Amino acid sequence: MNSASPTTSIASSVLHKLDVPVAYFDPQLVCQYCNPAYARYWQSPTEKLLQKPLYTTWKAHLAVLTPYLADVLRGTDGRIHLTPPEPDALSTLVQLIAHAPEGRVEGFHLVVYPEADTPSQVQHLKQELEALAYSISHDFRAPLRHIEGFSRLLQGKVESHEALAQDADTLKYLDYIRKGATELSTMIDALLQYSRLGRRNLHCTPLDMTAIAQQAVTDAQALHRSRHIDWEVEVLPPAYGDTDMIEYLLELLIDNAVKFTPADALARIHIGSTIHTEGKPPTYFVRDNGVGFDPAFRDNLFGVFQRLHRHDEYPGIGIGLAHASRIIHRHHGRIWADAALDQGATFFFELP
Amino acid sequence: MRNIHAPILYAEDNLMDIELTKEAYASLQLQNPLEIVRDGRELMDFLHCEGAYADRYPDMPILILLDNKMPRITGLEVLKQLKSHPKFKHIPVVMMTSSSLDSDIRRGYELGANAYVMKAVDFDELQECLADILQFWVKRNYTIHL
């Protein structure tokens, strides 16, 4: 790592003082250099890391790292999100940068970007959030139950009261109170689910996207027997992610497509993908021939309780796509949509 | 040997929940009396025929409906006491929780809860749920009398 060139000497002095952990490995995966931040990251003195093989320090993540190590030794850089198995730790981004001055790989740099706060802060925040979620689920629901229940009982009294029973407004107002309480309860559930999606641990494995999509379609068919839907499911490239969450993602996108296609005509829902040049993940999509949406509001699509259609036209509280977006963000992927009013909508997503 | 006089014991601290449940229960027209206790201590007094319940007819309840969340001694704590008591551990206990996402459910089953149900926000659903519970635990299920 030593050289007479001024750029190299600047680079090494910056590297030394940088707060970002950096190490350099030779093609045999033996550590030839590491900066003090890297030593701090492993809470180990530099001498104990130098000349040690990569798999001794990174053994917990070896299964995930191995294919990327093979790539970097062939000259292809990589970015890998490591999700630690323990619930309190945060995920880490590792970047691998090949060093190939004359086209031949002489080694590679490994850069670590820890993605946030210390575990104790995180632990504290998680406990606070858990307490809040618990409080919302229990404490908010009891008064709602009372509003709903006593309105129902009052409705019974009104119905059996000669004069009041003639007054349509009285019964209507009571009905509105009950509907409001029930809707708020649904929203509380949705918000809790949203918070859980953000907190639960990811168990990432290779995913057979074709099988997941087909299963989601089978489930949707069972759920919407009365609908005429022409389904098309392409063979999809595999992905890497949390099975439960990605299954739920497909379910959400398909639900959305079913909901916004006309119930009285033939709906067409197409699940497919686009494969890009190497190094870029494939783009999956769910396309429908439904009502679409005004592209001017596309940014609102994925917000919590955001709706682009009137409540009496399409039921729901506006949480499905927010859940979808949260799942994608947990995977460090991308989700977006394309549509024109009355010309169907396409939802795209990518998983790194 | 079904005992139509055996009480159904409902442990609940919230007065409005008690009233709603009583209304729902009344509509079901069961003969077993619905007895209300307001916390864990009252529940134990009831079972032991002590305190305010010293003079009650010493029938064992056929079923205990237990609110998961009560002040002082929590529902889970009461459940633990019940299920570790030689005389009471056989009484079926149906836990009532406000949320299906409750993280206590697992713990409840570990402590020997016989069932978990959610207190529905919709009154008609609450009534249906109560009817289902009683249909099974009071009308179908056999328990033993120690």
Side-chain angles (χ1 to χ4, degrees):
Chain A
M1 292 289 290
N2 290 321
S3 164
S5 144
T7 10
T8 318
S9 85
I10 292 169
S12 47
S13 92
V14 168
L15 218 51
H16 193 75
K17 289 186 179 161
L18 204 63
D19 278 334
V20 177
V22 180
Y24 181 79
F25 292 86
D26 67 15
Q28 283 70 49
L29 305 179
V30 175
C31 182
Q32 297 299 336
Y33 167 82
C34 68
N35 67 358
Y38 188 83
R40 280 198 299 279
Y41 178 77
W42 285 108
Q43 298 180 338
S44 168
T46 310
E47 316 80 81
K48 286 206 166 169
L49 296 162
L50 285 175
Q51 299 303 325
K52 289 280 156 26
L54 183 141
Y55 55 79
T56 55
T57 30
W58 290 93
K59 58 174 176 278
H61 299 289
L62 220 55
V64 182
L65 280 173
T66 303
Y68 291 94
L69 292 172
D71 281 350
V72 79
L73 291 176
R74 283 195 293 267
T76 311
D77 296 347
R79 294 163 73 86
I80 311 110
H81 289 280
L82 300 177
T83 312
E86 60 273 21
D88 305 319
L90 281 148
S91 74
T92 303
L93 175 68
V94 168
Q95 193 179 5
L96 300 177
I97 307 163
H99 178 57
E102 275 144 21
R104 206 172 56 85
V105 179
E106 292 182 2
F108 61 90
H109 282 94
L110 183 154
V111 188
V112 187
Y113 304 94
E115 283 181 8
D117 324 59
T118 63
S120 70
Q121 282 171 301
V122 176
Q123 182 63 24
H124 181 71
L125 280 172
K126 277 188 75 163
Q127 278 168 357
E128 234 171 50
L129 212 60
E130 187 65 46
L132 189 67
Y134 188 90
S135 162
I136 290 173
S137 64
H138 286 82
D139 305 340
F140 285 33
R141 215 185 295 261
L144 271 180
R145 196 165 53 236
H146 303 149
I147 296 170
E148 210 296 319
F150 290 108
S151 312
R152 174 73 189 85
L153 293 174
L154 202 53
Q155 231 172 14
K157 292 248 182 232
V158 169
E159 277 161 2
S160 59
H161 186 283
E162 225 168 283
L164 279 175
Q166 302 304 313
D167 181 22
D169 278 349
T170 309
L171 284 169
K172 187 172 79 185
Y173 296 160
L174 282 170
D175 190 46
Y176 285 175
I177 295 172
R178 296 186 64 194
K179 283 211 173 90
T182 310
E183 178 158 324
L184 192 48
S185 154
T186 313
M187 289 167 87
I188 290 172
D189 278 343
L191 215 49
L192 274 177
Q193 169 79 346
Y194 185 75
S195 129
R196 298 230 156 169
L197 284 175
R199 283 177 301 136
R200 60 161 277 193
N201 303 322
L202 293 186
H203 301 288
C204 293
T205 54
L207 304 174
D208 179 348
M209 294 298 280
T210 314
I212 291 177
Q214 277 165 348
Q215 185 58 48
V217 167
T218 309
D219 294 347
Q221 280 169 328
L223 211 61
H224 305 281
R225 279 186 208 286
S226 60
R227 294 279 309 264
H228 296 289
I229 302 172
D230 178 17
W231 297 93
E232 184 183 347
V233 184
E234 287 179 17
V235 173
L236 303 172
Y240 187 78
D242 182 286
T243 315
D244 291 347
M245 281 211 200
I246 301 301
E247 281 172 359
Y248 184 43
L249 172 77
L250 261 302
E251 181 191 320
L252 289 165
L253 294 179
I254 288 172
D255 268 0
N256 192 70
V258 171
K259 186 196 265 183
F260 292 105
T261 42
D264 50 3
L266 179 73
R268 270 198 307 277
I269 299 175
H270 176 188
I271 303 169
S273 67
T274 318
I275 296 166
H276 305 287
T277 46
E278 61 178 292
K280 265 199 82 186
T283 306
Y284 303 92
F285 62 82
V286 178
R287 177 171 295 146
D288 65 62
N289 65 336
V291 293
F293 57 85
D294 183 343
F297 298 109
R298 76 171 77 224
D299 291 344
N300 298 354
L301 271 176
F302 299 102
V304 173
F305 302 142
Q306 296 280 347
R307 303 174 47 88
L308 296 190
H309 298 277
R310 269 171 41 202
H311 194 282
D312 50 343
E313 293 170 326
Y314 296 98
I317 53 171
I319 196 75
L321 292 176
H323 282 175
S325 154
R326 183 153 254 208
I327 291 170
I328 285 293
H329 287 136
R330 284 297 310 277
H331 285 81
H332 306 281
R334 249 169 26 102
I335 185 164
W336 69 100
D338 210 359
L341 210 50
D342 293 322
Q343 287 175 32
T346 308
F347 285 84
F348 302 92
F349 67 90
E350 285 176 5
L351 294 163
Chain B
M1 52 169 278
R2 232 180 289 282
N3 180 355
I4 58 160
H5 303 294
I8 293 157
L9 191 57
Y10 177 34
E12 169 68 65
D13 63 297
N14 188 305
L15 275 174
M16 284 189 268
D17 275 335
I18 291 173
E19 198 160 328
L20 284 178
T21 307
K22 274 182 169 172
E23 284 290 339
Y25 186 77
S27 70
L28 299 175
Q29 301 185 322
L30 256 86
Q31 280 169 296
N32 303 68
L34 180 70
E35 297 280 355
I36 313 286
V37 287
R38 300 289 303 280
D39 57 33
R41 181 176 301 166
E42 272 190 30
L43 185 139
M44 284 302 169
D45 279 353
F46 184 96
L47 293 179
H48 288 288
C49 298
E50 284 169 1
Y53 301 98
D55 298 328
R56 81 171 180 94
Y57 184 78
D59 249 351
M60 274 296 153
I62 193 166
L63 174 70
I64 296 176
L65 301 171
L66 183 54
D67 180 27
N68 197 52
K69 192 169 183 263
M70 289 193 294
R72 294 184 294 272
I73 317 170
T74 66
L76 282 182
E77 193 54 46
V78 176
L79 178 67
K80 193 172 158 188
Q81 287 181 22
L82 282 173
K83 290 299 180 185
S84 51
H85 195 287
K87 245 181 102 184
F88 307 138
K89 64 182 176 192
H90 66 285
I91 307 172
V93 178
V94 174
M95 299 296 289
M96 317 263 278
T97 173
S98 279
S99 167
S100 59
L101 296 171
D102 199 327
S103 48
D104 287 343
I105 294 180
R106 172 179 296 273
R107 182 84 187 113
Y109 276 116
E110 280 166 7
L111 292 173
N114 297 81
Y116 252 94
V117 296
M118 192 180 125
K119 294 180 187 171
V121 167
D122 184 300
F123 181 78
D124 297 331
E125 212 179 309
L126 189 82
Q127 200 163 21
E128 236 174 77
C129 174
L130 196 65
D132 287 345
I133 296 173
L134 300 177
Q135 175 66 29
F136 179 77
W137 290 105
V138 177
K139 290 192 173 167
R140 288 273 170 255
N141 184 56
Y142 280 91
T143 181
I144 41 170
H145 297 280
L146 299 180

